[in-house]
Protein backbone atom coordinates (compact mmCIF):
# COMPACT_ATOMS: atom_id res chain seq x y z
CA UNK A 1 0.00 0.00 0.00
CA UNK A 2 1.04 3.64 -0.38
CA UNK A 3 2.47 5.19 2.77
CA UNK A 4 2.22 8.86 3.61
CA UNK A 5 3.77 10.61 6.60
CA UNK A 6 2.25 13.64 8.30
CA UNK A 7 4.55 16.41 9.52
CA UNK A 8 4.35 18.10 12.92
CA UNK A 9 1.96 20.79 11.67
CA UNK A 10 -0.57 18.12 10.75
CA UNK A 11 -0.96 19.64 7.28
CA UNK A 12 1.73 18.36 4.95
CA UNK A 13 1.60 14.90 3.40
CA UNK A 14 4.66 13.55 1.57
CA UNK A 15 4.67 10.30 -0.35
CA UNK A 16 7.66 8.26 0.77
CA UNK A 17 7.34 4.70 -0.53
CA UNK A 18 5.11 1.81 -1.43
CA UNK A 19 5.12 -1.16 0.92
CA UNK A 20 3.16 -4.41 1.13
CA UNK A 21 1.16 -3.23 4.12
CA UNK A 22 1.39 -2.91 7.87
CA UNK A 23 3.35 -0.31 9.82
CA UNK A 24 6.67 0.87 8.39
CA UNK A 25 9.35 -1.34 9.95
CA UNK A 26 12.14 0.08 12.08
CA UNK A 27 14.72 -0.86 9.44
CA UNK A 28 12.79 1.09 6.81
CA UNK A 29 12.56 4.14 9.06
CA UNK A 30 16.26 3.97 9.98
CA UNK A 31 17.27 3.76 6.33
CA UNK A 32 14.95 6.60 5.40
CA UNK A 33 16.45 8.82 8.14
CA UNK A 34 19.95 7.96 6.92
CA UNK A 35 19.01 8.97 3.36
CA UNK A 36 17.53 12.27 4.58
CA UNK A 37 20.65 13.02 6.62
CA UNK A 38 23.01 12.37 3.69
CA UNK A 39 20.78 14.24 1.24
CA UNK A 40 20.58 17.28 3.53
CA UNK A 41 24.37 17.68 3.48
CA UNK A 42 24.40 17.47 -0.32
CA UNK A 43 21.42 19.82 -0.54
CA UNK A 44 23.23 22.45 1.54
CA UNK A 45 26.33 22.25 -0.63
CA UNK A 46 24.71 22.02 -4.06
CA UNK A 47 21.07 23.09 -3.80
CA UNK A 48 17.96 21.32 -5.09
CA UNK A 49 18.85 22.07 -8.68
CA UNK A 50 22.22 20.29 -8.62
CA UNK A 51 21.45 17.45 -6.20
CA UNK A 52 20.79 14.08 -7.89
CA UNK A 53 19.35 10.84 -6.59
CA UNK A 54 22.42 9.07 -8.02
CA UNK A 55 24.73 11.27 -5.91
CA UNK A 56 22.70 10.62 -2.77
CA UNK A 57 22.61 6.89 -3.52
CA UNK A 58 26.38 6.74 -3.97
CA UNK A 59 26.94 8.58 -0.67
CA UNK A 60 24.62 6.09 1.06
CA UNK A 61 26.25 3.06 -0.58
CA UNK A 62 23.04 2.23 -2.43
CA UNK A 63 21.86 1.88 -6.00
CA UNK A 64 19.79 4.72 -7.42
CA UNK A 65 16.83 2.37 -7.65
CA UNK A 66 17.19 1.80 -3.91
CA UNK A 67 16.72 5.53 -3.23
CA UNK A 68 13.68 5.52 -5.51
CA UNK A 69 12.13 2.84 -3.26
CA UNK A 70 11.98 5.46 -0.49
CA UNK A 71 11.58 8.66 -2.53
CA UNK A 72 10.12 8.49 -6.00
CA UNK A 73 11.51 11.82 -7.17
CA UNK A 74 14.36 14.13 -6.26
CA UNK A 75 11.88 16.78 -5.13
CA UNK A 76 10.17 14.28 -2.82
CA UNK A 77 13.52 13.72 -1.13
CA UNK A 78 14.28 17.45 -0.96
CA UNK A 79 10.85 18.10 0.57
CA UNK A 80 11.42 15.38 3.18
CA UNK A 81 14.74 17.07 4.08
CA UNK A 82 13.04 20.45 4.49
CA UNK A 83 10.21 19.06 6.60
CA UNK A 84 12.61 17.11 8.83
CA UNK A 85 14.63 20.31 9.35
CA UNK A 86 11.54 22.35 10.13
CA UNK A 87 10.42 19.74 12.65
CA UNK A 88 13.76 20.06 14.45
CA UNK A 89 13.57 23.86 14.42
CA UNK A 90 10.02 23.65 15.74
CA UNK A 91 11.28 21.50 18.62
CA UNK A 92 13.83 24.22 19.47
CA UNK A 93 11.04 26.81 19.44
CA UNK A 94 8.94 24.74 21.85
CA UNK A 95 11.91 24.40 24.20
CA UNK A 96 12.49 28.16 24.07
CA UNK A 97 8.82 28.89 24.78
CA UNK A 98 9.16 27.48 28.33
CA UNK A 99 10.75 30.69 29.69
CA UNK A 100 8.67 33.82 30.41
CA UNK A 101 10.22 36.79 28.57
CA UNK A 102 10.90 37.36 24.87
CA UNK A 103 14.59 38.02 25.50
CA UNK A 104 15.02 34.77 27.43
CA UNK A 105 13.19 32.88 24.71
CA UNK A 106 15.37 34.26 21.92
CA UNK A 107 18.47 33.53 23.99
CA UNK A 108 17.42 29.95 24.64
CA UNK A 109 16.64 29.34 20.97
CA UNK A 110 19.91 30.84 19.74
CA UNK A 111 22.02 28.99 22.32
CA UNK A 112 20.29 25.77 21.29
CA UNK A 113 20.94 26.51 17.63
CA UNK A 114 24.65 27.20 18.21
CA UNK A 115 24.86 23.95 20.19
CA UNK A 116 23.24 22.15 17.24
CA UNK A 117 25.83 23.66 14.85
CA UNK A 118 28.63 22.50 17.15
CA UNK A 119 27.25 18.94 17.21
CA UNK A 120 27.09 18.98 13.41
CA UNK A 121 30.75 20.01 13.17
CA UNK A 122 31.71 17.24 15.60
CA UNK A 123 29.76 14.68 13.59
CA UNK A 124 27.19 14.01 16.31
CA UNK A 125 24.13 15.35 14.49
CA UNK A 126 23.00 15.85 10.93
CA UNK A 127 22.58 19.27 9.39
CA UNK A 128 19.39 21.27 9.08
CA UNK A 129 18.76 22.18 5.42
CA UNK A 130 19.15 25.71 4.08
CA UNK A 131 15.49 26.63 3.89
CA UNK A 132 15.78 29.31 1.22
CA UNK A 133 15.87 26.55 -1.39
CA UNK A 134 12.23 25.70 -0.61
CA UNK A 135 11.30 28.28 -3.22
CA UNK A 136 12.92 26.15 -5.95
CA UNK A 137 10.41 23.30 -5.48
CA UNK A 138 7.68 22.86 -8.08
CA UNK A 139 3.97 22.69 -7.38
CA UNK A 140 2.12 21.24 -5.58
CA UNK A 141 4.96 20.31 -3.23
CA UNK A 142 6.20 23.91 -3.06
CA UNK A 143 2.94 25.10 -1.55
CA UNK A 144 2.84 22.20 0.91
CA UNK A 145 6.36 22.78 2.21
CA UNK A 146 5.88 26.56 2.19
CA UNK A 147 2.78 26.12 4.35
CA UNK A 148 4.86 24.07 6.76
CA UNK A 149 7.45 26.85 6.87
CA UNK A 150 4.71 29.43 7.49
CA UNK A 151 3.54 27.38 10.49
CA UNK A 152 7.10 27.35 11.87
CA UNK A 153 7.43 31.11 11.29
CA UNK A 154 4.22 31.71 13.23
CA UNK A 155 5.47 29.51 16.07
CA UNK A 156 8.64 31.59 16.26
CA UNK A 157 6.56 34.77 16.15
CA UNK A 158 4.80 33.54 19.29
CA UNK A 159 8.13 33.66 21.16
CA UNK A 160 7.94 37.46 20.90
CA UNK A 161 4.36 37.58 22.15
CA UNK A 162 5.29 38.29 25.76
CA UNK A 163 4.24 40.80 28.46
CA UNK A 164 7.51 42.71 28.07
CA UNK A 165 6.74 43.34 24.36
CA UNK A 166 3.06 44.31 24.41
CA UNK A 167 3.81 47.16 21.98
CA UNK A 168 5.23 44.81 19.34
CA UNK A 169 2.36 43.99 17.00
CA UNK A 170 1.47 43.64 13.33
CA UNK A 171 4.08 44.41 10.70
CA UNK A 172 6.69 45.39 13.31
CA UNK A 173 6.39 41.96 14.95
CA UNK A 174 6.62 40.26 11.54
CA UNK A 175 9.76 42.24 10.69
CA UNK A 176 11.50 41.41 14.01
CA UNK A 177 10.68 37.71 13.61
CA UNK A 178 11.93 37.80 10.05
CA UNK A 179 15.17 39.49 11.08
CA UNK A 180 15.95 37.03 13.87
CA UNK A 181 15.44 34.07 11.54
CA UNK A 182 17.48 35.71 8.77
CA UNK A 183 20.40 36.17 11.20
CA UNK A 184 20.09 32.52 12.24
CA UNK A 185 20.12 31.30 8.64
CA UNK A 186 23.02 33.64 7.83
CA UNK A 187 25.18 31.79 10.36
CA UNK A 188 25.69 29.21 7.60
CA UNK A 189 27.69 31.86 5.73
CA UNK A 190 30.21 32.90 8.37
CA UNK A 191 30.21 30.38 11.22
CA UNK A 192 32.45 27.88 9.33
CA UNK A 193 35.27 30.45 9.53
CA UNK A 194 35.62 29.86 13.28
CA UNK A 195 36.74 27.01 15.49
CA UNK A 196 33.91 25.05 17.07
CA UNK A 197 35.35 25.74 20.53
CA UNK A 198 34.59 29.44 19.96
CA UNK A 199 30.88 28.94 19.23
CA UNK A 200 29.69 29.84 22.78
CA UNK A 201 31.62 33.12 22.66
CA UNK A 202 30.29 33.88 19.19
CA UNK A 203 26.76 33.14 20.37
CA UNK A 204 27.11 35.75 23.13
CA UNK A 205 28.38 38.33 20.65
CA UNK A 206 25.43 37.71 18.33
CA UNK A 207 23.01 37.98 21.25
CA UNK A 208 24.63 41.24 22.36
CA UNK A 209 24.13 42.72 18.90
CA UNK A 210 20.58 41.38 18.62
CA UNK A 211 19.56 42.83 21.97
CA UNK A 212 21.57 46.08 22.04
CA UNK A 213 22.37 47.03 18.44
CA UNK A 214 25.53 48.86 17.47
CA UNK A 215 24.88 52.59 17.88
CA UNK A 216 26.12 54.38 21.01
CA UNK A 217 23.49 57.12 20.64
CA UNK A 218 20.12 57.69 19.03
CA UNK A 219 19.94 59.66 15.76
CA UNK A 220 16.96 60.09 13.41
CA UNK A 221 17.19 57.96 10.26
CA UNK A 222 18.88 59.77 7.36
CA UNK A 223 17.34 60.34 3.94
CA UNK A 224 18.40 57.60 1.46
CA UNK A 225 20.74 58.53 -1.35
CA UNK A 226 19.98 57.89 -5.02
CA UNK A 227 22.00 54.94 -6.33
CA UNK A 228 21.72 52.42 -9.13
CA UNK A 229 21.11 55.00 -11.84
CA UNK A 230 24.48 54.72 -13.55
CA UNK A 231 24.28 53.80 -17.20
CA UNK A 232 25.86 50.48 -18.13
CA UNK A 233 26.80 48.41 -21.19
CA UNK A 234 28.33 51.21 -23.19
CA UNK A 235 25.80 53.84 -22.13
CA UNK A 236 22.68 51.67 -22.32
CA UNK A 237 20.13 51.96 -19.48
CA UNK A 238 19.86 49.16 -16.92
CA UNK A 239 18.55 46.00 -18.57
CA UNK A 240 14.88 45.34 -17.84
CA UNK A 241 15.46 41.61 -18.28
CA UNK A 242 18.21 41.74 -15.65
CA UNK A 243 15.94 43.38 -13.06
CA UNK A 244 13.04 41.06 -13.91
CA UNK A 245 15.28 37.99 -13.62
CA UNK A 246 16.51 39.15 -10.20
CA UNK A 247 12.93 39.49 -8.95
CA UNK A 248 11.85 36.13 -10.32
CA UNK A 249 14.89 34.30 -8.90
CA UNK A 250 14.27 35.86 -5.48
CA UNK A 251 10.65 34.70 -5.53
CA UNK A 252 10.88 31.33 -7.27
CA UNK A 253 14.53 30.30 -7.04
CA UNK A 254 16.77 29.68 -10.05
CA UNK A 255 14.87 26.64 -11.28
CA UNK A 256 11.47 28.28 -10.92
CA UNK A 257 12.56 31.51 -12.61
CA UNK A 258 12.14 30.14 -16.12
CA UNK A 259 12.80 32.10 -19.29
CA UNK A 260 9.04 32.04 -19.93
CA UNK A 261 8.28 33.45 -16.48
CA UNK A 262 10.93 36.20 -16.74
CA UNK A 263 9.67 37.18 -20.21
CA UNK A 264 6.02 37.13 -19.15
CA UNK A 265 6.74 39.46 -16.20
CA UNK A 266 7.82 42.05 -18.78
CA UNK A 267 5.06 41.15 -21.25
CA UNK A 268 7.75 40.07 -23.70
CA UNK A 269 8.22 36.90 -25.71
CA UNK A 270 10.74 34.13 -25.20
CA UNK A 271 12.30 35.18 -28.50
CA UNK A 272 12.80 38.68 -27.14
CA UNK A 273 14.58 37.22 -24.13
CA UNK A 274 17.12 35.40 -26.30
CA UNK A 275 17.52 38.43 -28.53
CA UNK A 276 18.96 40.30 -25.53
CA UNK A 277 20.49 37.43 -23.50
CA UNK A 278 22.58 34.37 -24.37
CA UNK A 279 21.20 32.22 -21.55
CA UNK A 280 19.49 32.32 -18.19
CA UNK A 281 22.74 31.25 -16.48
CA UNK A 282 24.56 34.24 -17.97
CA UNK A 283 21.77 36.54 -16.79
CA UNK A 284 22.00 35.12 -13.26
CA UNK A 285 25.74 35.89 -13.11
CA UNK A 286 25.05 39.41 -14.41
CA UNK A 287 22.41 39.79 -11.68
CA UNK A 288 24.97 39.02 -8.99
CA UNK A 289 27.53 41.36 -10.55
CA UNK A 290 24.94 44.13 -10.58
CA UNK A 291 24.03 43.35 -6.94
CA UNK A 292 27.60 43.71 -5.70
CA UNK A 293 28.10 46.83 -7.81
CA UNK A 294 25.03 48.40 -6.13
CA UNK A 295 26.19 47.40 -2.64
CA UNK A 296 29.60 48.93 -3.26
CA UNK A 297 28.03 52.06 -4.76
CA UNK A 298 25.83 52.51 -1.68
CA UNK A 299 28.83 52.24 0.62
CA UNK A 300 30.96 54.61 -1.45
CA UNK A 301 28.20 57.22 -1.73
CA UNK A 302 27.71 57.20 2.04
CA UNK A 303 31.44 57.57 2.65
CA UNK A 304 31.62 60.54 0.26
CA UNK A 305 28.75 62.22 2.13
CA UNK A 306 31.05 62.63 5.13
CA UNK A 307 30.32 62.62 8.83
CA UNK A 308 31.57 60.18 11.44
CA UNK A 309 31.62 56.42 10.92
CA UNK A 310 28.16 55.89 12.43
CA UNK A 311 26.68 58.51 10.10
CA UNK A 312 28.30 56.86 7.08
CA UNK A 313 27.17 53.39 8.10
CA UNK A 314 23.58 54.53 8.81
CA UNK A 315 23.42 56.30 5.45
CA UNK A 316 24.81 53.28 3.58
CA UNK A 317 22.36 50.89 5.24
CA UNK A 318 19.25 53.05 4.80
CA UNK A 319 20.21 53.72 1.16
CA UNK A 320 20.56 50.01 0.41
CA UNK A 321 17.35 49.13 2.27
CA UNK A 322 15.54 51.78 0.23
CA UNK A 323 17.01 50.45 -3.01
CA UNK A 324 15.66 46.98 -2.22
CA UNK A 325 12.12 48.38 -2.17
CA UNK A 326 12.54 50.78 -5.10
CA UNK A 327 11.42 50.16 -8.71
CA UNK A 328 15.07 49.40 -9.55
CA UNK A 329 15.28 46.74 -6.84
CA UNK A 330 15.67 44.24 -5.43
CA UNK A 331 19.19 42.93 -5.12
CA UNK A 332 19.84 39.26 -5.84
CA UNK A 333 19.41 37.11 -2.75
CA UNK A 334 22.53 35.18 -1.81
CA UNK A 335 20.52 31.93 -1.71
CA UNK A 336 20.77 31.84 -5.51
CA UNK A 337 24.56 31.44 -5.23
CA UNK A 338 24.06 27.68 -4.93
CA UNK A 339 22.86 27.63 -8.54
CA UNK A 340 26.08 29.06 -9.97
CA UNK A 341 28.92 26.93 -11.37
CA UNK A 342 31.62 26.33 -8.76
CA UNK A 343 34.27 28.71 -10.14
CA UNK A 344 31.76 31.51 -10.71
CA UNK A 345 30.17 30.93 -7.30
CA UNK A 346 33.53 31.29 -5.55
CA UNK A 347 34.21 34.55 -7.42
CA UNK A 348 30.83 35.95 -6.37
CA UNK A 349 31.40 34.87 -2.75
CA UNK A 350 34.72 36.74 -2.78
CA UNK A 351 32.92 39.88 -3.94
CA UNK A 352 30.32 39.42 -1.21
CA UNK A 353 33.08 39.05 1.39
CA UNK A 354 34.71 42.29 0.24
CA UNK A 355 31.41 44.17 0.65
CA UNK A 356 31.01 42.77 4.17
CA UNK A 357 34.64 43.56 5.03
CA UNK A 358 33.97 47.15 4.05
CA UNK A 359 31.09 47.32 6.52
CA UNK A 360 33.43 45.83 9.15
CA UNK A 361 35.91 48.65 8.49
CA UNK A 362 33.20 51.29 9.03
CA UNK A 363 32.21 49.61 12.30
CA UNK A 364 35.81 49.40 13.54
CA UNK A 365 36.18 53.13 12.83
CA UNK A 366 32.92 53.82 14.68
CA UNK A 367 34.06 51.90 17.75
CA UNK A 368 37.37 53.79 17.73
CA UNK A 369 35.51 57.12 17.44
CA UNK A 370 33.19 56.20 20.32
CA UNK A 371 30.00 56.55 18.23
CA UNK A 372 29.41 52.79 18.18
CA UNK A 373 29.33 50.32 21.05
CA UNK A 374 32.32 48.04 21.68
CA UNK A 375 31.20 45.21 19.43
CA UNK A 376 32.78 42.61 17.15
CA UNK A 377 33.11 44.40 13.76
CA UNK A 378 33.25 41.18 11.73
CA UNK A 379 30.09 39.66 13.21
CA UNK A 380 28.26 43.00 13.18
CA UNK A 381 29.11 43.41 9.49
CA UNK A 382 27.68 39.98 8.71
CA UNK A 383 24.49 40.86 10.57
CA UNK A 384 24.17 44.12 8.62
CA UNK A 385 24.53 42.21 5.36
CA UNK A 386 21.87 39.74 6.50
CA UNK A 387 19.48 42.59 7.35
CA UNK A 388 19.93 44.23 3.95
CA UNK A 389 19.37 40.85 2.34
CA UNK A 390 16.22 40.21 4.40
CA UNK A 391 14.16 43.22 3.38
CA UNK A 392 13.96 41.93 -0.19
CA UNK A 393 11.47 39.34 1.10
CA UNK A 394 8.85 42.07 1.46
CA UNK A 395 8.36 41.64 -2.29
CA UNK A 396 7.19 38.06 -1.76
CA UNK A 397 3.82 39.19 -0.37
CA UNK A 398 1.53 42.21 -0.42
CA UNK A 399 3.33 45.27 0.93
CA UNK A 400 1.46 47.40 3.45
CA UNK A 401 2.46 50.86 4.47
CA UNK A 402 5.01 53.26 3.07
CA UNK A 403 8.52 52.11 2.15
CA UNK A 404 9.87 54.48 4.80
CA UNK A 405 7.96 52.55 7.49
CA UNK A 406 9.41 49.25 6.28
CA UNK A 407 12.92 50.71 6.29
CA UNK A 408 12.46 51.90 9.87
CA UNK A 409 11.34 48.43 10.99
CA UNK A 410 14.60 46.96 9.68
CA UNK A 411 16.89 49.87 10.49
CA UNK A 412 15.95 50.25 14.16
CA UNK A 413 16.96 46.71 15.23
CA UNK A 414 20.33 47.09 13.50
CA UNK A 415 21.12 50.30 15.37
CA UNK A 416 19.37 49.89 18.73
CA UNK A 417 18.43 46.22 19.12
CA UNK A 418 15.47 43.94 18.48
CA UNK A 419 13.36 45.20 21.35
CA UNK A 420 13.77 48.94 20.73
CA UNK A 421 10.57 50.64 19.48
CA UNK A 422 10.72 51.82 15.87
CA UNK A 423 11.06 55.38 17.18
CA UNK A 424 14.01 54.58 19.42
CA UNK A 425 14.40 56.73 22.54
CA UNK A 426 17.56 58.70 23.13
CA UNK A 427 20.12 56.84 25.25
Amino acid sequence: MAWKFRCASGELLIRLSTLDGGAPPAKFEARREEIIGVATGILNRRGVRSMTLAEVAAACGMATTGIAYYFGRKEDLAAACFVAGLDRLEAMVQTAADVPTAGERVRRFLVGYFEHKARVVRGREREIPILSDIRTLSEPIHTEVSDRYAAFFQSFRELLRAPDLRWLRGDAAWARTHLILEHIYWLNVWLPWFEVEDYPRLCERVLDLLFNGLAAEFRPDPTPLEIGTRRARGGAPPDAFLIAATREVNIHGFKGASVDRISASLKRTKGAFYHHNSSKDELLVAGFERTFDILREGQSAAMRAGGDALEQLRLAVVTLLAFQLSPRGPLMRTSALQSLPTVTRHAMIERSNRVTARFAGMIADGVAQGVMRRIDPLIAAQMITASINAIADLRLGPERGHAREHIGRYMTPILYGLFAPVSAPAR
Side-chain angles (χ1 to χ4, degrees):
M1 64 182 291
W3 278 96
K4 294 184 178 181
F5 289 78
R6 189 177 297 272
C7 75
S9 68
E11 298 172 354
L12 174 64
L13 295 177
I14 300 178
R15 182 182 177 87
L16 297 178
S17 183
T18 301
L19 303 176
D20 293 331
K27 184 177 179 181
F28 175 88
E29 277 294 289
R31 193 59 156 162
R32 172 181 170 272
E33 289 299 312
E34 178 190 354
I35 293 169
I36 289 174
V38 170
T40 297
I42 295 173
L43 196 65
N44 284 353
R45 292 191 301 274
R46 298 171 57 79
V48 173
R49 180 189 181 213
S50 299
M51 183 182 76
T52 66
L53 290 181
E55 183 179 18
V56 176
C60 291
M62 301 171 62
T64 305
T65 52
I67 296 289
Y69 179 76
Y70 295 85
F71 302 96
R73 301 179 305 147
K74 178 176 73 173
E75 288 205 340
D76 294 332
L77 174 55
C81 292
F82 290 131
V83 171
L86 286 167
D87 284 345
R88 292 162 70 198
L89 289 169
E90 181 73 36
M92 293 183 197
V93 168
Q94 296 310 313
T95 298
D98 289 340
V99 290
T101 69
E104 289 175 301
R105 292 169 183 176
V106 172
R107 169 177 285 278
R108 179 172 286 191
F109 183 93
L110 196 66
V111 168
Y113 191 79
F114 266 88
E115 289 173 349
H116 150 73
K117 299 297 285 187
R119 289 192 295 271
V120 169
V121 171
R122 292 177 171 128
R124 299 172 186 170
E125 193 171 313
R126 71 169 185 263
E127 300 174 59
I128 289 176
I130 297 172
L131 300 175
S132 58
D133 236 19
I134 289 174
R135 69 193 69 198
T136 69
L137 299 172
S138 58
E139 295 296 354
I141 204 166
H142 171 265
T143 296
E144 294 173 337
V145 179
S146 294
D147 287 347
R148 176 67 188 90
Y149 178 81
F152 159 69
F153 186 98
Q154 183 58 33
S155 292
F156 200 99
R157 161 67 185 94
E158 291 299 312
L159 296 182
L160 304 185
R161 202 181 298 276
D164 54 320
L165 285 181
R166 287 191 181 92
W167 60 269
L168 188 61
R169 296 288 184 267
D171 290 345
W174 189 95
R176 303 299 167 99
T177 305
H178 183 208
L179 271 174
I180 297 169
L181 290 175
E182 188 72 19
H183 290 312
I184 289 166
Y185 304 149
W186 199 262
L187 291 175
N188 293 302
V189 173
W190 60 266
L191 200 56
W193 302 346
F194 295 90
E195 297 293 340
V196 67
E197 291 81 7
D198 293 332
Y199 283 12
R201 175 176 58 83
L202 297 171
C203 181
E204 289 303 318
R205 293 187 176 186
V206 170
L207 284 166
D208 175 50
L209 283 159
L210 282 176
F211 292 161
N212 301 307
L214 54 84
E217 59 186 30
F218 171 72
R219 299 178 186 178
D221 289 347
T223 301
L225 301 171
E226 277 291 317
I227 58 171
T229 57
R230 295 179 180 177
R231 304 178 74 81
R233 297 187 181 183
D239 190 343
F241 278 104
L242 184 62
I243 297 173
T246 299
R247 292 173 181 167
E248 294 300 317
V249 169
N250 283 358
I251 295 170
H252 303 289
F254 183 85
K255 182 180 176 183
S258 64
V259 171
D260 287 336
R261 179 169 265 154
I262 294 168
S263 303
S265 72
L266 296 172
K267 296 182 171 54
R268 304 291 294 275
T269 65
K270 192 172 180 178
F273 177 95
Y274 284 111
H275 177 74
H276 294 280
N277 306 282
S278 299
S279 67
K280 188 175 78 170
D281 284 30
E282 181 183 82
L283 195 61
L284 178 61
V285 173
F288 272 112
E289 290 176 341
R290 171 179 177 266
T291 289
F292 296 126
D293 285 344
I294 293 294
L295 289 168
R296 185 175 180 276
E297 183 184 348
Q299 293 172 325
S300 296
M303 290 176 176
R304 287 194 300 270
D308 59 32
L310 177 59
E311 200 62 30
Q312 292 176 18
L313 181 69
R314 291 166 67 249
L315 186 55
V317 171
V318 78
T319 295
L320 292 168
L321 291 175
F323 182 88
Q324 289 275 47
L325 300 179
S326 75
R328 298 184 305 278
L331 302 172
M332 188 78 78
R333 283 189 62 88
T334 54
S335 56
L337 279 169
Q338 289 179 301
S339 302
L340 294 174
T342 302
V343 174
T344 306
R345 182 169 67 248
H346 287 164
M348 293 299 103
I349 289 173
E350 285 181 7
R351 289 204 63 185
S352 176
N353 289 341
R354 288 200 296 273
V355 167
T356 303
R358 211 170 186 206
F359 279 131
M362 292 182 184
I363 294 165
D365 289 344
V367 173
Q369 293 168 7
V371 293
M372 296 188 206
R373 297 173 53 247
R374 297 183 65 180
I375 51 180
D376 187 313
L378 180 59
I379 294 176
Q382 290 292 346
M383 294 176 72
I384 287 172
T385 301
S387 299
I388 294 169
N389 196 56
I391 202 170
D393 279 345
L394 289 179
R395 292 181 174 274
L396 305 187
E399 294 181 24
R400 294 175 293 178
H402 192 274
R404 187 80 176 181
E405 296 174 356
H406 293 307
I407 292 167
R409 294 185 186 112
Y410 283 75
M411 185 78 167
T412 296
I414 296 171
L415 295 175
Y416 312 110
L418 283 169
F419 305 136
V422 174
S423 298
R427 294 191 175 190

